[in-house]
């Protein structure tokens, strides 16, 4: 007798992705192990986080419990997530975060929360009760008291034991949407230019070109490789590139451009030439210009280029894992660039790449960076080295190995872009009138 | 403490493969729950085929219960796992609960019983011999006892959904259009050492879209390499004869000394090399060749290069060949031509079975190969694709199809990135060309 879940394989994978990258292991199945809470508790206690999945005629409703499944005749508070697949939609899932009380006794398993959500499973009757609040919030078109076909309980392996992170996983899609809306609605300050130019500058291998690819990937919804990345003896990027970004496949061009440059090298006469920086900032360098570490560009124009060709924001791109071991020579180069940036009145941010645990970067409401992050030594170092306020030290995790998109990464990328655009606006507003 | 198996990937894989391609689902772990057979039986009762694994200091011993813990008797196979070797001893049928020593009765399985609360297992010398264990091994003290439900790696549920994914991919790829309609078909060049699987990848793609196995592109291991001609293979869907919007271009294998000349690569990339051109590793094509394509357009050029490597040969490539490939890569970067890597024959790696293909990149041996490619050539991890070509099969397999189609999808996305990245003047001139073609079609 094989014991397998009633979930479709695709549904199982969708559930596994709901709270990060988790694996579901079936522990209890009512049709095999008995329709009573005694059997349920015996199989599911002391297993870690669980997901109780109730298969109705056409819908699937479930509850994730972060805390251990309760033993019989007991109750406990737990971080919970209520979710539903609607009417045979294999991939569309709605989810709700809640702090609930979970109780189990001889006749029922009950979840209820202070904000009015309540779900009760009656195994011996094979019925589930969902109160009006649950039906409304999960957008289910059901009677509140329904007979179910099967109840299955899974252990959830690989989930983070942190209620704050669970909440972020559940809420991330709406925040991603909010950040994306802000980017779509963005217009450069004062209508002085139609597009803002953001310069990416930083050491070889810090993730500049990879950041552009990640931005494009986040908008497209699939992985993109327009900028070549990888490793070699010197910078892979040897040309100056001005990349525009479209709002999705076949979408409109967004009002900002990312300018990618050759990587900095701590050695003299290697990497991006320091004398090229002012010319880049003033807009003298054309797209696809081939950098030469030993010979700066000789601009053709004597006249000032128009405002639209200038750089409006500089992002110093640093690998967070290398920040604490930057050589003195590299720091000196970065400081020299900063002086040029300040002289030209350009906005600036620092962009830390290769961040682990990107679900911990922003606070619960995805408004500010969380305190545990801002107190990291790398942040302090960048703040002191470049004299950049913490609000303009941004953190992302570029797409590099994943085979599918991650809404948390998208949200961080969109939030970072938003902050760059604000820095650009600050510099545009600060311009002398005669320009 | 988390419910996570103590077994290494390798140990788990050996047991999986030995007992018929099962996925092991952890149900009970003594060090997390309790060293108590009542707890074990409570968790594991009625779960179908079940495996009890006892972790000793130097080896793993266990029992496979064909029908699991149940009221009735079941066939039991005792086993020992040392390094990657599994030895077995078939006993039974027996009542499964009798695996555990019960002081109240004298009833137990002769020669093997687990005393959980004392964290030990006693094994008779006869069974020790059959399992390849030293006789003084008994009693064996155990650090943990883990019990797993054994599920089919590829069950009907999974197979059904994979077929849906396969069909969705087929439809997406046959309706693909290159970015901006700049060219009628994406042209994809396969480059790689002799025997890497370039031609068998072409055959595999053709087979997937035709719906049956085909062997049009010659495959073999001649000394000089079988693919010594330049071939451009259009792909058709089923048998309707209409070409799909991409073409696979196959070339002579790369070799440290002989093999494809770098100047010939340049000509291929620029669209000057005609179909069926016979390569000569000493003498690249020149404009004087009677079939040389002088006025090549964007539609004749290569839009994406795929470096093809046999996954099992990565570490055996000569230093000179690696250097040559790096040189080619730098030239591609300079020319603005995007490229990816394709690792073929992934199912030839140790312990990899069909059931692993769905999540192939999470398998340890594959991860090691990806790291090797990244380290030796400098390719980004995200640019390395993994497939299993059709080589000797007679019938298509949806799991392999999906891997091939996913790789092809990534390649076509990369073509779009290349076309989008072209300088504006090239895009504009090709738009004019496309307009002219469209008018002619009407």
């Amino acid at each position: 007798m094989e014991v397998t879940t009633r979930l479709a394989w695709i549904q199982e994978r969708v559930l596994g992705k709901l709270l990060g990258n988790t694996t579901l292991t079936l522990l209890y199945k009512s049709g095999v192990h008995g329709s009573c809470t005694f059997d349920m508790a015996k199989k599911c206690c002391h297993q870690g986080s669980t997901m109780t999945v109730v298969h109705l005629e056409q819908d699937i409703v479930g509850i994730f419990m972060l805390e251990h499944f309760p033993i019989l005749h007991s109750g406990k508070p737990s971080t919970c997530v209520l979710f539903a697949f609607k009417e045979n939609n294999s991939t569309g899932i709605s989810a709700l975060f809640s702090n609930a009380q979970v109780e189990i006794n001889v006749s029922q398993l009950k979840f209820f929360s202070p904000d009015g959500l309540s779900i009760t499973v009656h195994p011996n009757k094979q019925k589930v009760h969902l109160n009006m609040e649950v039906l409304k919030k999960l957008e289910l078109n059901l009677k509140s008291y329904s007979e179910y076909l099967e109840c299955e309980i899974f252990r959830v392996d690989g989930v983070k034991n942190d209620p704050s992170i669970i909440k972020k996983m559940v809420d991330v899609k709406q925040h991603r949407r909010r950040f994306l809306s802000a980017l779509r609605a963005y217009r450069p300050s004062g209508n002085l230019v139609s597009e803002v130019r953001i310069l990416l500058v930083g050491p070889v291998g810090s993730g500049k070109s990879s950041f552009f690819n990640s931005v494009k990937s986040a908008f497209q919804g699939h992985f993109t490789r327009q900028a070549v990345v990888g490793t070699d003896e010197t910078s892979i990027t040897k040309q100056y590139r001005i990349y525009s970004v479209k709002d999705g496949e076949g979408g409109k061009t967004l009002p900002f451009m990312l300018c990618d440059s050759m990587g900095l090298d701590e050695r003299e006469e290697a990497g991006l030439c320091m004398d090229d920086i002012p010319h880049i900032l003033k807009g003298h360098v054309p797209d696809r210009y081939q950098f030469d570490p030993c010979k700066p560009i000789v601009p053709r124009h004597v006249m000032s280029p128009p405002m639209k060709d200038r750089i409006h924001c500089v992002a110093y791109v640093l690998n967070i894992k290398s920040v604490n071991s930057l050589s003195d020579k590299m720091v000196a180069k970065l400081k020299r660039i900063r002086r040029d940036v300040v002289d030209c009145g350009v906005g600036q941010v620092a962009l830390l790449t290769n961040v682990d645990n990107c679900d911990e970067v922003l606070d619960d409401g995805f408004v500010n960076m969380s305190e545990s992050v801002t107190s990291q030594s790398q942040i302090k170092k960048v703040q002191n080295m470049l004299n950049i306020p913490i609000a303009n030290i941004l953190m992302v995790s570029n797409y590099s190995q994943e085979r599918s998109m991650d809404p948390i990464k998208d949200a961080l990328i969109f939030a970072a872009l938003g902050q760059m655009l604000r820095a650009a606006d600050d510099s545009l507003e600060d311009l002398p009138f005669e320009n | 403490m988390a419910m996570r198996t103590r077994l290494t990937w390798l140990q788990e894989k050996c047991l999986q493969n030995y007992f018929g391609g099962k996925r092991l689902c952890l149900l009970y772990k003594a060090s997390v729950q309790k060293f108590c057979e009542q707890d074990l039986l409570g968790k594991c009762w009625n779960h179908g085929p079940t495996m009890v694994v006892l972790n000793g200091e130097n080896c793993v011993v266990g029992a496979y219960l064909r029908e699991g813990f149940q009221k009735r008797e079941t066939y039991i196979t005792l086993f020992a796992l040392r390094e990657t070797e599994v030895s077995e001893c078939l006993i039974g049928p027996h009542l499964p609960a009798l695996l555990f020593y019960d002081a109240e009765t004298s009833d137990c399985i002769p020669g093997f019983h687990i005393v959980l609360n004392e964290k030990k297992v006693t094994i008779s010398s006869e069974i020790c011999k059959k399992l390849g264990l030293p006789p003084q091994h008994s009693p064996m003290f155990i650090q943990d006892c883990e019990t797993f439900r054994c599920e089919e790696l590829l069950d009907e549920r999974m197979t059904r959904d994979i077929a849906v994914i396969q069909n969705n991919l087929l439809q997406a790829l046959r309706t693909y259009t290159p970015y901006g309609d700049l060219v009628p078909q994406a042209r994809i060049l396969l480059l790689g050492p002799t025997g890497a699987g370039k031609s068998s990848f072409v055959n595999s793609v053709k087979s997937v879209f035709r719906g049956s196995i085909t062997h049009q592109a010659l495959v073999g291991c001649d000394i000089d390499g079988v693919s010594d001609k330049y071939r451009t293979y259009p792909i058709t869907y089923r048998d309707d004869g209409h070409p799909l919007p991409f073409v696979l271009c196959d070339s002579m294998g790369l070799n440290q000394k002989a093999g494809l000349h770098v100047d010939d690569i340049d000509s291929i990339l620029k669209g000057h090399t005609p179909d069926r051109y016979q390569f000569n590793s000493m003498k690249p094509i020149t404009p004087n060749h009677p079939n040389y394509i002088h006025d090549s357009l964007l539609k004749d050029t290569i839009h994406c290069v795929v470096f093809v490597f046999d996954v099992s040969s990565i570490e055996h490539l000569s230093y000179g060949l690696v250097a040559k490939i790096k040189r080619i890569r730098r030239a591609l970067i300079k020319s603005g031509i995007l490229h990816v890597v394709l690792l073929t024959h992934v199912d030839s790696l140790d312990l990899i079975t069909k059931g692993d293909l769905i999540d192939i990149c999470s398998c340890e041996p594959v991860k090691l190969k990806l790291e090797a490619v990244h380290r030796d050539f400098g390719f980004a991890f995200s640019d390395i694709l993994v497939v299993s070509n059709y080589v000797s099969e007679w019938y298509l397999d949806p799991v392999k199809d999906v891997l091939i189609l996913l790789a092809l999808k990534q390649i076509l996305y990369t073509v779009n990135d290349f076309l989008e990245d072209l300088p504006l003047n090239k895009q504009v001139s090709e738009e004019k060309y496309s307009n002219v073609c469209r008018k002619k079609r009407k």
Side-chain angles (χ1 to χ4, degrees), chain B residues 191 251-255 258-262 264-265 268 279 281 324:
Chain B
L191 283 183
S251 59
M252 181 187 251
L254 297 174
N255 191 287
L260 190 59
H261 196 287
V262 288
D264 265 331
I265 295 176
I268 295 169
F279 290 112
S281 49
K324 185 169 182 176

Side-chain angles (χ1 to χ4, degrees), chain A residues 191-216:
Chain A
N191 283 318
L192 294 170
V193 295
S194 59
E195 288 156 344
V196 154
R197 291 192 176 193
I198 299 164
L199 174 66
L200 306 175
V201 63
V204 170
S206 59
K208 301 180 292 298
S209 302
S210 188
F211 177 68
F212 162 68
N213 280 340
S214 297
V215 167
K216 184 175 171 179

Side-chain angles (χ1 to χ4, degrees), chain B residues 112-130:
Chain B
F112 188 93
H113 56 260
I114 305 166
V115 194
L116 260 189
N117 59 317
E118 292 179 29
K119 300 189 184 183
K120 70 183 186 186
V121 56
T122 61
I123 311 170
S124 70
S125 55
E126 184 190 352
I127 293 181
C128 277
K129 193 180 302 178
K130 287 183 180 174

Side-chain angles (χ1 to χ4, degrees), chain A residues 26 46 216 226 232 288, chain B residues 33 149 330 417 420-421:
Chain A
L26 183 63
H46 295 113
K216 184 175 171 179
Q226 185 170 340
D232 205 355
R288 291 173 214 267
Chain B
Q33 280 140 7
R149 178 179 62 247
R330 282 190 205 111
D417 285 324
E420 185 175 357
D421 199 52

